[in-house]
Amino acid sequence: MKHCYLFIFLSMLVVSCMSSGTVEDAKQYAAQAIENKDYAYAKRVCDQLYTATKNDTTPGRVQSLCDLSLLYMKIADWNDYDTNIENAVRCYREAYEADSAQAAACYDSIAVDDMAHWAVMSSIVTQSLQSDEIRDLDEDEMRYVNEADSSGIIP
């Protein structure tokens, strides 16, 4: 129990400071919490890291967003699927909006263990982009072609 309180204290200290070293440490704490099946704690750390990245303008922001997206995907495997998928997709999109080349480089260098999570997340983003492009046609926009009419005129 003593170690648990020390772990919580250190992680809260790390997240509150948010220097580049502490961001990495906090990501490690979240990853360790996932390994230890403490998904609620991992989500809290990720949420705090995400909040900190919103105000971050450093080049490390894109890497943090990419890492957070994968962490949220791992949490989604075990806890609150819809919310964590939304968080992962949001981080993914924000990373690409901030710097698409750096985001692509981050995702190109992910570990083999993370590739399945990335593939699912990427697929969700692709599907959501395609559904945004689909629009309903008005009746006025729809045209009927009478195949029996050989004139080629569309009524």
Side-chain angles (χ1 to χ4, degrees), residues 21-92:
T22 57
V23 169
E24 292 302 316
D25 291 342
K27 287 189 259 183
Q28 287 299 320
Y29 291 145
Q32 288 172 346
I34 291 169
E35 287 178 23
N36 293 331
K37 299 182 181 0
D38 188 356
Y39 303 107
Y41 178 74
K43 184 173 180 344
R44 281 194 307 269
V45 172
C46 289
D47 289 346
Q48 290 173 346
L49 283 169
Y50 175 75
T51 300
T53 64
K54 289 179 95 171
N55 301 324
D56 190 5
T57 58
T58 64
R61 178 176 187 262
V62 173
Q63 180 67 50
S64 292
L65 287 168
C66 292
D67 293 342
L68 280 171
S69 68
L70 293 169
L71 288 169
Y72 277 124
M73 288 299 292
K74 290 176 183 179
I75 296 169
D77 284 345
W78 303 103
N79 188 14
D80 197 7
Y81 181 81
D82 292 335
T83 301
N84 288 308
I85 291 293
E86 288 175 20
N87 291 340
V89 168
R90 182 181 63 229
C91 290
Y92 181 97

